[in-house]
Amino acid sequence: MIKVLLAEDEKELSRAVCAVLRGKGFEVRAVFNGKEAVEAAGEELFDLFILDIMMPVMDGIEALKTIRAGGDYTPALFLTAKAEIDDRVAGLEAGADDYLTKPFAMAELVARIQS
């Protein structure tokens, strides 16, 4: 079973993504800010991180940089409204393996996870 850490501060979107992923057989732990994502990554092993960029306390880019600096290279996907080329490049340079902009199709998210 694929274990996913989802860091998304929009609670309704988080619930929807969790429901879809759990329905597809993934195990999901949801957190709601970047600091919680860093803490969760230090507490458990995950197969994938899905991070929003614009979150309170610590944004997703800083969270991923912190996780990577600790030696964790778990695949990471940014799921964000920041759609400009510079935003995507910054996300990839921060250590993300993929980048999906909002709004998105749940089927595409699932396909990206499975690939």
Side-chain angles (χ1 to χ4, degrees), residues 1-64:
M1 177 181 297
I2 295 174
K3 190 171 180 180
V4 177
L5 173 62
L6 172 65
E8 169 60 62
D9 65 315
E10 295 177 37
K11 298 215 190 281
E12 292 202 19
L13 179 57
S14 178
R15 279 193 292 272
V17 171
C18 285
V20 167
L21 295 183
R22 288 176 180 142
K24 295 289 185 180
F26 299 106
E27 181 180 339
V28 184
R29 178 172 173 187
V31 298
F32 303 100
N33 67 58
K35 183 175 183 275
E36 290 176 346
V38 171
E39 291 168 354
E43 295 168 0
E44 298 179 49
L45 294 176
F46 293 93
D47 298 302
L48 175 67
F49 302 133
I50 300 175
L51 306 163
D52 186 9
I53 290 180
M54 297 184 296
M55 292 186 291
V57 184
M58 177 187 289
D59 70 38
I61 288 191
E62 287 307 311
L64 186 57

Side-chain angles (χ1 to χ4, degrees), residues 4-8 17 21 47-53 55 60-61 64 67-68 73-80 88 91-92 94-102 104-115:
V4 177
L5 173 62
L6 172 65
E8 169 60 62
V17 171
L21 295 183
D47 298 302
L48 175 67
F49 302 133
I50 300 175
L51 306 163
D52 186 9
I53 290 180
M55 292 186 291
I61 288 191
L64 186 57
I67 291 167
R68 295 289 192 244
Y73 292 95
T74 298
L77 181 151
F78 278 122
L79 185 63
T80 181
R88 287 183 266 167
L92 295 169
D97 299 283
D98 201 356
Y99 195 104
L100 183 60
T101 58
K102 298 175 187 175
F104 61 93
M106 289 290 187
E108 182 178 4
L109 174 62
V110 171
R112 286 174 183 256
I113 292 169
Q114 292 173 331
S115 73

